[in-house]
Amino acid sequence: MASRTVPQRGFTLDYLMFLFTRISGLSIILLAVIGLVTAFIMGARTQMDLGTLMRWTFFPNPNHVINSDIPDLTAGWANAYWNVMQMLVVFFAFTHAANGLRMILEDYINRGVGQILLRGFFFLLWAFMLILAYNVIVMM
Amino acid sequence: MAFGKYNGWKGFTYRGGGPMLVFLLHRITAVGIILFVGLHIMASFSIQQGVWGDFGVFINTIYESFWFQIFVVFCVLFHTLNGLRITILDFWPRLLKYQREAIWLEWAIFVPIYALTIFIMIQRGLAG
């Protein structure tokens, strides 16, 4: 069995992504709390049911809510504030996710051409999903 | 014979312990969330832009069933709490001494919240 090399120390990709994973995880929790609170401030208590509110917290997109059989929201909910909130959640979530998948697979594929292809694949997937999400969020 | 020294179930019991179990669950729930959110965004894109045929409607009917939502809530809640535990222990490494206690605390927080959530979901799901 081949020996594993000890990773170098310092500002490597793995160290930066280690930090990013923790910070983005905390950011998503924080964004969810901010989203919940501001939704209540904007009148969610009387306009939404519990399920809608939970969806709105993570996917604040009126289009999406209409798509999934949830009662209509008033037009006042489709604004830039929620677009920015959702874009932030999606950005943190997908960067966290693509890096997490890369880490899981690099436990098995951790050298040579395989690793390069793996990283390339996850970079493309990450870019693709962000572009898709941007379209869903902004093109209403 | 000491208590617990021998029993007939030894070959069947899981011996990885709490930390191994949460490590595995963290990875499994991660993949669960990625599949859910990824398909969710693709479905929204499909319906909104009117592309890819019935794909969006097909995904919608899956994620609107409360059975699927029970699974998603498990993934999101567990991944959040376990991630929070990992973050706290990583940023304050002296707490690593209490890793096992932290895992028990995590389950003590997870179980009531999850139980209450699926109780409400099943109640509403069955009510239609």
Side-chain angles (χ1 to χ4, degrees):
Chain A
M1 186 180 163
S3 58
R4 292 173 64 154
T5 49
V6 178
Q8 64 179 116
R9 308 186 75 159
F11 279 94
T12 59
L13 175 73
D14 279 322
Y15 173 66
L16 289 175
M17 291 320 289
F18 164 88
L19 270 187
F20 180 83
T21 302
R22 271 114 192 109
I23 291 168
S24 61
L26 291 175
S27 308
I28 293 167
I29 297 174
L30 188 68
L31 283 168
V33 171
I34 293 172
L36 208 59
V37 170
T38 46
F40 274 129
I41 290 173
M42 290 170 70
R45 196 176 71 82
T46 51
Q47 290 178 31
M48 291 185 190
D49 64 19
L50 186 62
T52 317
L53 182 62
M54 295 320 283
R55 285 190 192 195
W56 186 266
T57 307
F58 292 101
F59 302 101
N61 183 341
N63 263 5
H64 148 272
V65 174
I66 292 164
N67 285 342
S68 41
D69 277 354
I70 285 182
D72 283 335
L73 294 166
T74 50
W77 289 84
N79 58 31
Y81 169 72
W82 291 110
N83 285 358
V84 171
M85 285 291 287
Q86 190 177 21
M87 205 59 223
L88 281 174
V89 172
V90 165
F91 172 77
F92 281 128
F94 260 106
T95 318
H96 190 112
N99 181 60
L101 283 178
R102 178 185 70 82
M103 280 177 67
I104 291 175
L105 286 175
E106 282 193 3
D107 277 356
Y108 309 100
I109 304 167
N110 48 26
R111 61 173 65 80
V113 182
Q115 190 183 32
I116 294 167
L117 287 177
L118 192 78
R119 288 186 176 183
F121 172 72
F122 280 117
F123 178 76
L124 288 178
L125 186 71
W126 173 74
F128 173 71
M129 290 310 292
L130 281 189
I131 292 168
L132 213 60
Y134 181 79
N135 275 281
V136 173
I137 293 166
V138 175
M139 285 185 176
M140 293 195 185
Chain B
M1 192 187 288
F3 177 71
K5 186 101 174 188
Y6 176 80
N7 65 53
W9 295 103
K10 206 142 197 181
F12 299 92
T13 51
Y14 175 74
R15 270 167 286 178
M20 177 72 181
L21 183 65
V22 294
F23 163 80
L24 277 180
L25 277 176
H26 199 73
R27 294 200 156 180
I28 293 167
T29 53
V31 175
I33 294 170
I34 292 168
L35 284 177
F36 169 65
V37 178
L39 288 175
H40 196 110
I41 289 178
M42 292 213 258
S44 298
F45 183 80
S46 160
I47 291 176
Q48 194 175 327
Q49 317 279 332
V51 291
W52 306 342
D54 284 339
F55 172 77
V57 179
F58 173 68
I59 297 294
N60 259 312
T61 49
I62 293 175
Y63 68 56
E64 277 170 10
S65 76
F66 71 98
W67 299 108
F68 182 75
Q69 289 177 358
I70 286 168
F71 170 71
V72 170
V73 169
F74 178 86
C75 288
V76 171
L77 195 59
F78 181 83
H79 200 83
T80 307
L81 285 173
N82 195 50
L84 208 54
R85 178 187 68 84
I86 293 170
T87 308
I88 291 169
L89 293 185
D90 274 348
F91 283 168
W92 288 279
R94 287 164 75 183
L95 294 176
L96 276 171
K97 197 162 58 170
Y98 304 108
Q99 188 190 194
R100 284 169 189 275
E101 287 81 353
I103 290 169
W104 281 111
L105 178 65
E106 181 192 323
W107 285 113
I109 296 170
F110 174 83
V111 169
I113 296 178
Y114 185 60
L116 184 64
T117 311
I118 62 170
F119 174 73
I120 293 171
M121 282 177 132
I122 291 176
Q123 201 181 31
R124 293 189 176 195
L126 294 181

